[in-house]
Amino acid sequence: MTTSPYPSYPEDLERPGLVRTGRSTFVRPIRPEDADRLVAFVGTLSRATLAYRSLGPVVRARDDVIRRGAHVDYLNELALVALAGDEIAGLVRYVRDPEEPEHAEVTFTIRDDHQSEGFGRLLLEHIAAAARARGIRVLEADVLADNARMINVFLGSGYRIEAGPPGQIIHFEIAVDPQAQAVARAERREQTAVRRSLKPLLEPRSVAVIGANRDPLTIGHEIVANLLRGGFAGSVFPVNPRAGRIAGVRAYASVRDLPEPPDLALVAVRAEAVPGVVRECAEVGVKAVVVVSTGFGETGVEGRAGELELARFARASGMRLVGPNCMGVVNTTPAARLAATFSPALPTPGRVAMSSQSGPLGLAVLDFARRLRLGFSGFVSVGHAVDVSTDELLQWWEEDPGTSVILLHVETFGDPRRFARVARRIAPRKPIVAVHPGHADSAVSSLFAQSGVIRTRSLQELFDVALLLAHQPPPPGNRVAVITNAGGPAALTVGACAASGLCVPALGERTRQTLRPALAPHADVSNPIDLTPTATAAHYRQALDAALADDGIDAAVVLFMPPLADKPDEVASAILDAAAARPDKPVLASFLGGAGVADLLHRGDLVVPTYTFPEAAATSLGHAAAYQAWRSTPAGVVPDLAGVDVERARSLIASCAPGPVPAAVAAELLASYGIAVRGGEPGPGPDAFLTVRADPVFGPVVAFGLTGDYADLMADVAHRVTPLSDRDAREMVRSLRAAPLLDGRTGGPGVDLAALEETVLRLSAMVEDHPEIEALELRPVRLLPPGDGVAVAHATIRLADNTAAGGSS
């Protein structure tokens, strides 16, 4: 925790932003020391802009009056500034109406040279969110009728707008509750802005390497060499004040001496020199910076503060920044061919893109992928990710026709809710596979599960899954045929399939009849299909053809023991032929003990992924089957719930001090969301509990479980991150290992699952509408028979202390 120099300064409102053109900026609350900056800002405004701001004839305020505008209480009066370098590009301010505290007057002022870039819409989104968190529900604005730009900002925002009758001045009332239309429009604006801002990073026309070195095997030299070796079509500018040429290319003393401002600059200098270099880049007009230098956040608190300040400066200067402590950026698409990295192993072109938050790990990743023959369309090492984030890279690869699978190595989340929103949009079309070090982190698991992200337990597993999804389709179901020439490996595969949520069913009678005369006399044609050690390539082809033609089979795993049979190349060719004939069902292989087998199972664009051991094949297939099941399930919606009285809930919360809420008020608060707190006898099944905790990173996290040993001893608890959709609620209550006790599979009548799901949704809606709720617990929740609903026997609610309007962090 750090203490702000301003007692109530809300650091949580400091956010990077992107305007419509893709220009980056930094939005933050105004501070007292901005007084001179504010005077300078007003001094740049044209008479027309001042007239729109003052709704009439221009009257220039005195400087002392303008300076007072830098002093706000951040609660009843709040001003946000969007920075362009050290200057203010735009300003939005609200002042709460003392007679109607849920209403506030809002004004916007955008510097003339930035009025066509989208600063107004960006600032509206930021001030609406800040106002909503401070109990303001309606922003009111008066706009001159000929101020078309501001009118279009309001009407195009997607918020619920009420406008007064046409006249010289139009009065707008903007409801800041996030409507679906507002969210959708904000997402579209964000996606466009993100892609435009990342183009100089991932598709630059020219690149400077600051800290380039004449000595081979140094980072600065290898970056230049890789850019040239990788076939970059644009200009490469090595920057070194003591070198004439580097890697055969003319070098320059400083970035100011370059013949043109480069789109992208890679910075490989000492940590203490990085801020000055980045400032120089901003001054000459560089659009994106990759800081490979170390010595920042990994060194401690001061280093972390330094890198955050670096990111703020870059954003305010209109630049995007990757790093620090990263290994660079790679793009293998024909339009870019960018190898802006010092990695000695460059990836081969392919359809997999990857973002990694670890610089050193990236070196191993690229080397391992090359040995696997897994091709990449792009690779970005984001390092400490102080600016360019994983979810922004997702939005770039979302529209990249050369990318079909996205891999993520994620250590921390900048904005988990935005990540979830973006991933949920992309995952139905392109699989996202992630590895995260927090294996026991329920919030991370919940976030990935809700977003359709495939979570793997290790980097090896990450690449195993990628190898499958990059080359074969996800299976339409979870039924697997196992074809082998040795019984032992087949038994291991069957066990691994069961552990991965797959089944190995008996083949259909028609399939068995087809196979019996075609295979060796002692072959087993049930499933696994054991071809015996004497199997030939023809036997493999016949068995695989028949299995893939079986309507009861969704995928095949082919095992081959080279010591037991000759000519693995012929067997590989037979497998490729069969896979090509049925491209709708995935085929995986494991040539146990075989060397160079991956090469044998490649034929042009056709690749059958091969694994050293069959357990890895089964695990990968299990992930792919679960992903396909998620993708095939109708997308959920956050439903409108009947019987919800939001205003009553607000009034109740306003009447309470921070801390525990009195039991009677807690019951009434829940009743305002249609959740009754009442006694009652236990139902036919066990009692349950529902809790909410405010996670500092993920926001409200809902937990559901059964009371007693189920949760205490078995840790059988389901978690989801709000807001929950109807699909989230349904999957949550059915995801417990003890779920058979609830749905009647154990022989009893079961419980009212529909009522339980609705209670979960109402709880989610309540904590989303009222961020003041810090913790909530319903225990016990009586689970009653179908049609009888649920009964909450006891409830506790705790409110956070938000009197500092965001406080300091």
Side-chain angles (χ1 to χ4, degrees), residues 5-6 28 30-38 70-71 74:
Y6 315 100
R28 63 165 172 81
I30 203 164
R31 300 189 292 228
E33 73 263 29
D34 290 324
D36 290 340
R37 189 179 281 114
L38 189 59
H71 297 265
Y74 305 113

Side-chain angles (χ1 to χ4, degrees), residues 3 34 133 168 183 290 327 380 536 658 744 788 804:
T3 303
D34 290 324
Q168 185 178 5
V183 172
V290 175
M327 56 169 287
V380 179
T536 64
D788 290 347

Side-chain angles (χ1 to χ4, degrees), residues 183-263:
V183 172
R185 291 185 180 180
E187 284 186 8
R188 287 197 296 271
R189 286 194 293 271
E190 176 190 67
Q191 185 180 13
T192 299
V194 164
R195 288 189 57 78
R196 286 175 176 170
S197 78
L198 294 184
K199 190 174 180 64
L201 171 70
L202 295 169
E203 294 181 355
R205 294 166 298 180
S206 54
V207 181
V209 182
I210 305 169
N213 200 300
R214 286 173 294 191
D215 297 332
L217 302 181
T218 59
I219 288 177
H221 184 278
E222 290 306 300
I223 294 174
V224 176
N226 278 340
L227 283 166
L228 301 173
R229 187 164 56 241
F232 178 63
S235 300
V236 177
F237 302 122
V239 176
N240 184 322
R242 293 178 296 277
R245 300 184 73 81
I246 293 176
V249 179
R250 177 187 172 184
Y252 297 83
S254 81
V255 71
R256 291 192 178 93
D257 298 324
L258 300 181
E260 64 183 72
D263 283 344

Side-chain angles (χ1 to χ4, degrees), residues 67 91 291 441 493 600 678 716 725:
R67 283 191 172 89
L91 169 73
V291 179
D441 192 329
T493 306
L600 297 179
R678 55 191 172 90
D716 190 13
S725 68

Side-chain angles (χ1 to χ4, degrees), residues 380-466:
V380 179
S381 169
V382 295
H384 295 169
V386 294
D387 178 27
V388 172
S389 61
T390 297
D391 54 78
E392 290 179 309
L393 293 170
L394 283 174
Q395 293 180 78
W396 175 271
W397 290 319
E398 175 183 12
E399 301 299 329
D400 178 20
T403 297
S404 58
V405 180
I406 302 172
L407 308 184
L408 306 177
H409 167 252
V410 184
E411 293 179 351
T412 59
F413 292 90
D415 186 340
R417 292 191 171 205
R418 184 167 71 167
F419 171 86
R421 189 181 72 241
V422 172
R424 191 178 295 197
R425 184 178 73 225
I426 297 171
R429 295 184 291 114
K430 296 184 179 182
I432 302 171
V433 191
V435 62
H436 183 279
H439 291 292
D441 192 329
S442 59
V444 173
S445 296
S446 302
L447 187 73
F448 286 161
Q450 288 174 258
S451 308
V453 175
I454 301 170
R455 185 179 188 183
T456 59
R457 295 165 294 183
S458 65
L459 283 168
Q460 177 70 61
E461 194 174 305
L462 177 86
F463 283 102
D464 287 344
V465 177

